[in-house]
Amino acid sequence: MQYKLLASDFDNTLVPFGEPCPRPAVVKAVKKMQAAGGKFVLSTGRGYCVINKQQLGGIRFDYAITNNGACVVDRDGAIIAEHPMTNEEMYALVDFCEDYNYPLQFNFRDGYYAYCEYESLRDFYAQLSGSGLTCKDGEDQDRHLIDMPHAAFACLPDEALEAFSRKYGHLNLRFMMVGAVREGSWHCYDIVREGIDKGVGLADLCETVGLTLADAVSAGDSANDVGMLKAAGLGCCMANGSDDAKEAADRIIGDVREDGLADLIETSGLLRRQKKALLELAESRGLPKDTLTALAERLLATEEARNARTTSVTDMIAKLGPMFGLLGTLIPLGPGIVALGQGDTVTLSESMNVAFDTTIAGVISAAVASVISHIRKRWYNDDMVSLETLMEAVLEEVTSDVEG
């Protein structure tokens, strides 16, 4: 099976817990996959606004499933699918947490806003050194007047869920425990709407980009990854994953500290093209830096020229089709006009049929060729961006050997 997309959880799947970024083998494998035309999707409980790209180790995701599936964005943060909370859901959480002084934040597009117990949440995030997580003082409780949040986050004691369910159970909000147990048997929960999980986000993404779930591979390690592991054509749980994640997965792969994600990429059919150009650059190790840079530019130019040659044929048909259609219209009109003058209606009708047929054939051939060219150019542009990204990584590696 040739998979086209990899959706990966962040903590303990892409990056080992406690480490600042993915390990080099994983970064290299992801970039190779992207250079081969595969798409890398970061799947996380975080909002896009707090994704720390420095923690990705140079990986540039193509898309991100954020807020546990409630919002899907492209690499620039533009929303392509979303399932925001309703007013009733949001107000229920605020009323409940205010009654008991429980810390509560909402995940909006531009940041995390603490609606209840801001100082408690601020201090909590300050303890998570290097996480990139932070929140804004939202105790004025007016941020939702601009747009609704995609998810919420709360710190609650064990008995709180049952109390909330008694009062607001009809909302069927989904509470997902995250992180370790806090002091006094308190837990942290990500909260989304009923039926929302990373699997829903993956389905939204595949539909938007024209793929099926069978085209996707997912990798995760915990309970909030279960929906995604079940939805993808191939769901893979890390060896360090939870029991429920392993049960939902199709395959168990290596531990995150053993570069399990890198092994998955290498063996799942995600690698395809352009290895020759990359191999040529890698084998030129030892040449001066300027020479290596020039070689990389030449290889990219060669690939771009090959793509241009491929699309030039359909471009030419798109331009010449109407011209030949016009010629096919004018040529039979001569005999037709003569036949008209002689009163030969049979010859006239035959000439007009030929003229109309050739005109239609010319227009249709031009339209089909134009569509094919447009689709091919889009594919080739994506391939060139991916190839350039990987070429930069290879170039950095080989030039570092020269400088060293």
Side-chain angles (χ1 to χ4, degrees), residues 78-202:
I79 294 176
I80 61 178
E82 60 179 334
H83 303 275
M85 303 184 87
T86 65
N87 282 314
E88 183 182 11
E89 292 164 343
M90 194 197 75
Y91 289 142
L93 287 168
V94 172
D95 291 344
F96 181 77
C97 290
E98 279 188 333
D99 287 345
Y100 298 97
N101 296 320
Y102 295 149
L104 171 69
Q105 79 176 28
F106 290 103
N107 304 354
F108 290 94
R109 297 183 184 188
D110 62 329
Y112 287 177
Y113 286 75
Y115 270 39
C116 302
E117 302 297 317
Y118 162 69
E119 292 183 356
S120 176
L121 282 170
R122 180 198 62 192
D123 295 342
F124 170 64
Y125 287 137
Q127 297 172 11
L128 303 178
S129 176
S131 69
L133 295 173
T134 184
C135 66
K136 301 178 182 181
D137 185 351
E139 292 191 345
D140 289 340
Q141 299 182 359
D142 58 1
R143 172 60 183 82
H144 64 283
L145 300 178
I146 301 175
D147 53 49
M148 296 301 292
H150 292 110
F153 173 83
C155 298
L156 307 171
D158 286 338
E159 64 272 14
L161 288 188
E162 184 177 350
F164 183 87
S165 180
R166 284 196 301 268
K167 190 172 183 180
Y168 301 106
H170 63 282
L171 296 176
N172 294 316
L173 289 176
R174 186 159 182 253
F175 288 74
M176 292 172 283
M177 189 186 302
V178 293
V181 179
R182 300 184 66 192
E183 184 178 352
S185 296
W186 283 52
H187 301 276
C188 297
Y189 295 92
D190 285 336
I191 309 166
V192 293
R193 303 192 67 195
E194 178 186 12
I196 299 301
D197 58 27
K198 291 182 180 181
V200 172
L202 181 60

Side-chain angles (χ1 to χ4, degrees), residues 1-4 212-217 233-234 267-270:
M1 176 68 184
Q2 185 73 56
Y3 297 104
K4 300 176 182 178
T212 67
L213 287 168
D215 294 320
V217 179
L234 177 64
T267 60
S268 63
L270 285 163

